[in-house]
Amino acid sequence: MKMREVAVIGAGSTKFGELWGQSFRALGLEAGMKAMASANLAGDEIDAIYIGNMSSRLTKQQHIDALVADYTGMAGKHIASTSIEAGGASGGVAFRQGVMAVASGMHDVVIVGGAEKMTDLDDDSVNEVMNATTDADWEAGMGLSLTSLYAMIARRMVHEGLATREEIAACAYNSHFHGQFNKDAQFRKEIKLDTVLRAGPTAEPLTMFDGAPISDGASAVILCPLEDAKKYTDNYVKVAATAQASDTLALFQRKSITEFEATKVAAQQAYAAAGITAKDINVAEVHDDYTVAGCMALQDLGLYKNGGKAFLEGCTKFDAGKIAVNTSGGLKAKGYPIGAAGVSQIVELYQQLTNNAGDRQVKDAKYGLAQSVGGTGSAVTVSILEAM
Amino acid sequence: MKMREVAVIGAGSTKFGELWGQSFRALGLEAGMKAMASANLAGDEIDAIYIGNMSSRLTKQQHIDALVADYTGMAGKHIASTSIEAGGASGGVAFRQGVMAVASGMHDVVIVGGAEKMTDLDDDSVNEVMNATTDADWEAGMGLSLTSLYAMIARRMVHEGLATREEIAACAYNSHFHGQFNKDAQFRKEIKLDTVLRAGPTAEPLTMFDGAPISDGASAVILCPLEDAKKYTDNYVKVAATAQASDTLALFQRKSITEFEATKVAAQQAYAAAGITAKDINVAEVHDDYTVAGCMALQDLGLYKNGGKAFLEGCTKFDAGKIAVNTSGGLKAKGYPIGAAGVSQIVELYQQLTNNAGDRQVKDAKYGLAQSVGGTGSAVTVSILEAM
């Protein structure tokens, strides 16, 4: 069965960071307005909303679907609004559902947003919510945290000789290097590798600088049928593929913890659907909530044989002429408002593939890939965008 | 654009009630197994999961998508799993997303589940979560609850002469009447109208018997392309339409509180897509989380001009030869495990339209309608199934 082809015709983000002055509602609205403006839409054209948002425990508000429809003024037209939760992959899954809505013919112009307001709570509460994306009974309930689980993975990587500690740390260096060029990023300073290695330990061998920050922020993109894209703008890209895979919730049930099978499966499906291979990708946004996750991603996606080495050798920089990675600053430097993360990756790819990435523009980028991860790889989406 | 047509080929539910002995995980698994068995599936055929689930605050578990993939054994195949939250409409929206996944061609055999485990928490905590489906800042934050908001609606209905108190109460009578025939229902006793009227007040004029109970439970249905349905079973029904609409999150921002505009809009879209009118519906499952909501639903859907009167006069009974309503026992008597509610409605329609509803079978039912509501009508889905 041939699906209707889908385009991204606009994108926008708020600044990511500790945004004390802006409410969850205000952030969502700002990202939506920016995305609509970039697609030259007045708003009336939109007939469905998808939102990635992780936790009602952060905002004390259920029914985020209705909240967003209401505060964007869309409830006045009674359009469908749908909210998705998939831990850290919430934004990636929301994007895929939005693509499906257009591909199915059920909707025509769809806005996909992601938003999270995390800094209104104390750190312990935020950590409790984030750790609940692991197996709440058998991992978090036993005292494990996301950080300690990723620390186990890092330790195992080093133990098996799959990466050195320096290579793992280089993922953070790469993200901070790119963050300096992104005016919406939470951290905009280049750092030294030593800064990562010598920062305070969180769970050994990981330090403060191996993990993405807790952030507020929102991102949004606009989708429509590919055949209609030109009606709205000349700046559009094609959604060449979007795939999603799952794995066990708990890490201890996997055969291997030095690779995410869900990433591999989703990537294979996405490459096949797009009719390309990993070699064709020019720019990738991968889920570096922890440095070691970023390294694994490059390997599992087939982009680099040794992810950490690629970061350490600078192959992943926007101007290296190879596969550029996390040119937005990644989750590590751009910031990590959980529900927004997967959508913000699409925003960056849209800008790269329409040649609007400014100081960090990857030259002649044709294919962009986004990988979004929930928990310790228990849900992964891989989407591929193609420049037109 | 012509969409791929979709069929429901199987359905199953756990018992609804205070299920102290079963975990959230066990409930989801049981419903899924029953649905697969009814569709003659071994499990291998399924290539995507959708789940309606309201709140991680009830289970302390985020990432329900991954949990369900894992505990149903589907994570072994790494298939896509997606979790939806839309307050009380979570199950209805999950069903619609499942339909979209098949209609788009992105997936072929999809299981849509809904589950909620509510009785592990104390009543105050459950109420706090449920009240968070209203506007948390401007309603719940000011002391309003779902119950008090629906009480305002009921008071207004009576004030405007749109319903008598007895007509409103009759919605509960109708649900309890049908509940006695459903072995999975939480309450299986016929009640008198006086029982509703004379029960302890919750928010006047509503009493304990005007509101659906707090419940544990799970339901699941299986979808596939209509053209493939016969491969699996002779017991299948067509998804003739599925529509979704939104409204303001807060009740005070509506022009009228004695009708839900989102129900009207979704119903109009659904009737148009199915090529029928309200008169063609034979059996309907409507969202009677509060009696007054059930009465409004019949009106807003165009099924009866005066919903309460239809209940009071017995037009809605399964054997009255008119439009039968809530033959499952509705949320009021069947039970209201929030995320499961919208899916359990599809289970009932599937059984009615395949002539497997036993003691409560509606004769010659061709079209069934399900209406699922979040908050005070801020999200509504309307789905129409057609017997084959």
Side-chain angles (χ1 to χ4, degrees):
Chain A
M1 188 213 157
K2 192 157 161 44
M3 267 181 278
R4 176 153 85 159
E5 293 190 303
V6 180
V8 181
I9 58 170
S13 271
T14 67
K15 195 179 158 32
F16 286 5
E18 296 189 19
L19 309 177
W20 303 106
Q22 279 171 287
S23 66
F24 177 83
R25 297 165 190 227
L27 288 170
L29 187 58
E30 182 188 327
M33 297 290 282
K34 283 180 173 171
M36 288 198 293
S38 97
N40 305 308
L41 300 184
D44 283 350
E45 307 85 348
I46 291 171
D47 71 339
I49 305 172
Y50 284 83
I51 309 127
N53 175 255
M54 194 180 75
S55 190
S56 58
R57 295 160 75 184
L58 299 171
T59 47
K60 310 287 181 208
Q61 172 74 63
Q62 295 289 142
H63 223 336
I64 291 293
D65 54 312
L67 178 86
V68 172
D70 190 358
Y71 276 77
T72 51
M74 302 282 175
K77 290 197 309 157
H78 304 293
I79 74 170
S81 181
T82 300
S83 178
I84 310 277
E85 192 258 317
S90 299
V93 177
F95 175 70
R96 184 164 182 264
Q97 290 306 125
V99 172
M100 248 183 230
V102 178
S104 70
M106 204 107 56
H107 293 291
D108 289 319
V109 184
V110 169
I111 184 163
V112 179
E116 208 84 51
K117 178 78 178 161
M118 303 178 73
T119 65
D120 285 355
L121 263 67
D122 60 281
D123 285 357
D124 279 353
S125 305
V126 173
N127 276 324
E128 194 189 314
V129 174
M130 290 184 67
N131 293 337
T133 64
T134 71
D135 192 315
D137 286 1
W138 298 104
E139 291 183 326
M142 303 297 177
L144 283 160
S145 66
L146 261 186
T147 303
S148 63
L149 286 163
Y150 275 102
M152 283 186 204
I153 294 174
R155 199 176 277 275
R156 188 78 203 169
M157 293 275 280
V158 173
H159 175 77
E160 290 189 12
L162 298 170
T164 65
R165 177 68 186 97
E166 287 69 26
E167 286 168 355
I168 292 172
C171 175
Y173 167 75
N174 176 74
S175 287
H176 278 271
F177 170 78
H178 285 126
Q180 65 183 314
F181 305 113
N182 182 353
K183 66 172 181 41
D184 291 330
Q186 185 162 2
F187 300 121
R188 301 198 57 199
K189 249 189 183 165
E190 198 178 350
I191 57 166
K192 290 180 184 154
L193 205 60
D194 247 20
T195 308
V196 184
L197 298 172
R198 297 193 180 181
T202 49
E204 288 188 10
L206 303 182
T207 73
M208 286 285 290
F209 270 78
D210 283 286
I214 286 168
S215 319
D216 308 323
S219 295
V221 298
I222 314 275
L223 306 175
C224 80
L226 182 60
E227 60 193 7
D228 296 342
K230 261 200 169 4
K231 282 202 308 197
Y232 302 108
T233 177
D234 292 331
N235 285 321
Y236 64 92
V237 302
K238 179 178 147 183
V239 181
T242 166
Q244 181 182 344
S246 61
D247 207 336
T248 62
L249 188 57
L251 195 61
F252 66 80
Q253 292 195 306
R254 315 269 177 84
K255 277 184 212 152
S256 162
I257 65 167
T258 57
E259 55 187 17
F260 284 163
E261 197 65 28
T263 300
K264 290 178 148 185
V265 170
Q268 267 176 324
Q269 289 178 2
Y271 292 138
I276 62 169
T277 70
K279 290 188 185 12
D280 297 307
I281 301 297
N282 307 107
V283 53
E285 288 281 308
V286 304
H287 201 89
D288 61 336
D289 56 342
Y290 294 93
T291 46
V292 65
C295 297
M296 286 163 75
L298 298 194
Q299 295 159 198
D300 294 339
L301 293 164
L303 298 177
Y304 287 99
K305 217 182 143 194
N306 182 324
K309 203 171 160 213
F311 285 128
L312 192 62
E313 293 178 349
C315 305
T316 53
K317 289 187 175 178
F318 76 95
D319 56 357
K322 301 191 174 172
I323 303 171
V325 177
N326 290 351
T327 51
S328 67
L331 311 181
K332 176 68 193 82
K334 181 179 52 186
Y336 186 27
I338 298 188
V343 182
S344 77
Q345 295 178 325
I346 306 294
V347 173
E348 175 69 11
L349 295 183
Y350 172 79
Q351 271 148 6
Q352 288 287 355
L353 297 176
T354 55
N355 241 315
N356 286 307
D359 290 347
R360 61 185 189 278
Q361 180 65 49
V362 177
K363 243 180 152 177
D364 303 324
K366 174 141 182 78
Y367 287 104
L369 178 149
Q371 177 232 26
S372 188
V373 177
T376 50
S378 31
V380 175
T381 58
V382 173
S383 296
I384 297 174
L385 304 186
E386 182 180 349
M388 287 281 105
Chain B
M1 188 215 159
K2 190 156 161 49
M3 269 182 275
R4 175 153 85 160
E5 293 189 304
V6 180
V8 182
I9 57 169
S13 269
T14 66
K15 195 180 155 34
F16 285 6
E18 297 190 19
L19 309 177
W20 304 106
Q22 281 171 285
S23 66
F24 178 84
R25 296 165 189 226
L27 289 169
L29 187 58
E30 182 189 327
M33 297 291 281
K34 284 181 173 170
M36 287 198 293
S38 98
N40 305 309
L41 300 184
D44 282 352
E45 308 85 347
I46 292 171
D47 73 337
I49 304 172
Y50 283 84
I51 308 127
N53 173 256
M54 193 179 78
S55 189
S56 59
R57 294 161 77 184
L58 299 171
T59 47
K60 311 286 181 210
Q61 174 72 64
Q62 296 288 144
H63 223 334
I64 292 293
D65 54 312
L67 179 84
V68 172
D70 190 357
Y71 276 77
T72 52
M74 303 282 174
K77 291 196 310 158
H78 304 294
I79 74 171
S81 181
T82 301
S83 177
I84 310 277
E85 192 258 317
S90 299
V93 177
F95 176 71
R96 184 164 182 264
Q97 290 306 124
V99 171
M100 247 181 230
V102 179
S104 69
M106 205 112 44
H107 293 290
D108 289 319
V109 183
V110 169
I111 185 163
V112 180
E116 209 84 50
K117 178 80 178 155
M118 304 178 74
T119 66
D120 286 354
L121 263 70
D122 60 281
D123 286 358
D124 279 353
S125 304
V126 173
N127 276 324
E128 193 188 314
V129 175
M130 291 184 66
N131 293 338
T133 64
T134 71
D135 191 315
D137 286 2
W138 298 104
E139 291 183 325
M142 304 297 176
L144 282 159
S145 66
L146 262 186
T147 305
S148 64
L149 286 163
Y150 275 101
M152 283 187 204
I153 294 173
R155 199 176 276 277
R156 189 77 202 169
M157 293 275 280
V158 173
H159 176 77
E160 289 188 14
L162 298 171
T164 65
R165 177 66 185 96
E166 288 70 25
E167 286 168 354
I168 292 171
C171 175
Y173 167 77
N174 176 75
S175 287
H176 279 271
F177 170 78
H178 285 126
Q180 64 183 315
F181 305 113
N182 182 354
K183 66 172 179 45
D184 291 331
Q186 185 162 1
F187 300 122
R188 301 199 55 199
K189 251 191 183 163
E190 199 179 348
I191 57 166
K192 292 184 182 151
L193 206 60
D194 246 22
T195 308
V196 185
L197 298 172
R198 295 191 182 183
T202 48
E204 288 188 9
L206 303 183
T207 73
M208 286 284 290
F209 270 76
D210 284 286
I214 287 169
S215 318
D216 308 323
S219 295
V221 298
I222 314 274
L223 306 175
C224 81
L226 181 61
E227 59 192 9
D228 297 341
K230 260 199 171 1
K231 282 202 304 196
Y232 302 107
T233 178
D234 291 331
N235 285 322
Y236 64 92
V237 302
K238 179 178 148 183
V239 181
T242 166
Q244 180 183 344
S246 62
D247 207 337
T248 62
L249 187 57
L251 195 62
F252 66 80
Q253 290 193 309
R254 315 267 177 84
K255 275 185 213 151
S256 162
I257 64 167
T258 57
E259 56 186 17
F260 284 163
E261 198 66 27
T263 301
K264 291 180 148 184
V265 170
Q268 266 176 325
Q269 289 178 2
Y271 292 137
I276 63 168
T277 70
K279 289 191 185 11
D280 296 306
I281 302 296
N282 307 107
V283 51
E285 288 281 308
V286 305
H287 200 89
D288 62 335
D289 56 342
Y290 294 92
T291 45
V292 65
C295 298
M296 287 163 74
L298 299 194
Q299 295 158 197
D300 294 338
L301 293 164
L303 299 177
Y304 287 99
K305 217 182 142 194
N306 181 326
K309 204 170 157 212
F311 284 128
L312 193 62
E313 292 178 351
C315 307
T316 53
K317 289 187 174 177
F318 75 96
D319 57 357
K322 303 194 172 170
I323 303 172
V325 178
N326 290 354
T327 51
S328 68
L331 312 181
K332 177 66 193 81
K334 181 179 53 187
Y336 186 29
I338 298 187
V343 182
S344 76
Q345 296 177 325
I346 305 294
V347 173
E348 175 70 9
L349 295 182
Y350 172 79
Q351 270 147 7
Q352 289 287 355
L353 297 176
T354 56
N355 242 314
N356 286 307
D359 290 347
R360 61 185 190 277
Q361 180 65 50
V362 178
K363 244 182 152 176
D364 304 324
K366 173 139 181 79
Y367 288 104
L369 178 149
Q371 177 232 26
S372 188
V373 177
T376 49
S378 31
V380 175
T381 59
V382 174
S383 296
I384 297 174
L385 304 186
E386 182 180 350
M388 287 282 104

